[in-house]
Amino acid sequence: ERKFQQLYGCLFTPQPGMHTWSRGDTILCRCENVNRSAVESAVQRGAHTVTDVKGLTRAGMGSCQGRLCSHLIAGQIACITGKSIPACGQLNIRAPISPINIADVGKEGERP
C-alpha cells in the first residue's frame, strides 16, 4: 500500500514550475476543471491573488479545497504579474462540514 501511495503521489502531484511550461488548455484545478487560460483571463480582469481567481473561476472550490491547485494558480499569477508566489496568497482550507436542519440543533443525542 505504501509503494502504491508513493507511486500515486509521484504521478498525480503537480510539479513545481508547471506554470512556466503549461499551455492554455492545461488544467490547473482538476476538481473544477479550470484551465490556465481561465486563470489568465481572471488576472487580466483584475484578480491579483489566489482568492481573487477563486472568486472569478471556481478554482479551489472543489473537493480538495485548493490543496492541489492553489500553488499552481499562485505560480500562474506570479508569472503574469511579476509578483512573488508567496505574494499571490493561498486559499483558506476549510473543514468538510455539512449543513443541518435547524430543528435538529436542539435534539440531544440524535443525529440527522
Side-chain angles (χ1 to χ4, degrees), residues 35-97:
N35 63 23
R36 177 179 160 172
S37 292
V39 173
E40 290 172 344
S41 175
V43 173
Q44 290 171 353
R45 293 185 333 202
H48 296 290
T49 67
V50 177
T51 302
D52 293 343
V53 170
K54 178 181 179 180
L56 294 173
T57 67
R58 294 193 51 84
M61 289 188 183
S63 58
C64 84
Q65 291 292 297
R67 289 175 185 89
L68 295 176
C69 65
S70 63
H71 67 284
L72 297 173
I73 295 166
Q76 191 61 45
I77 296 167
C79 189
I80 296 168
T81 64
K83 294 171 29 175
S84 69
I85 291 176
C88 297
Q90 292 294 317
L91 296 174
N92 294 329
I93 296 174
R94 298 178 182 174
I97 59 173

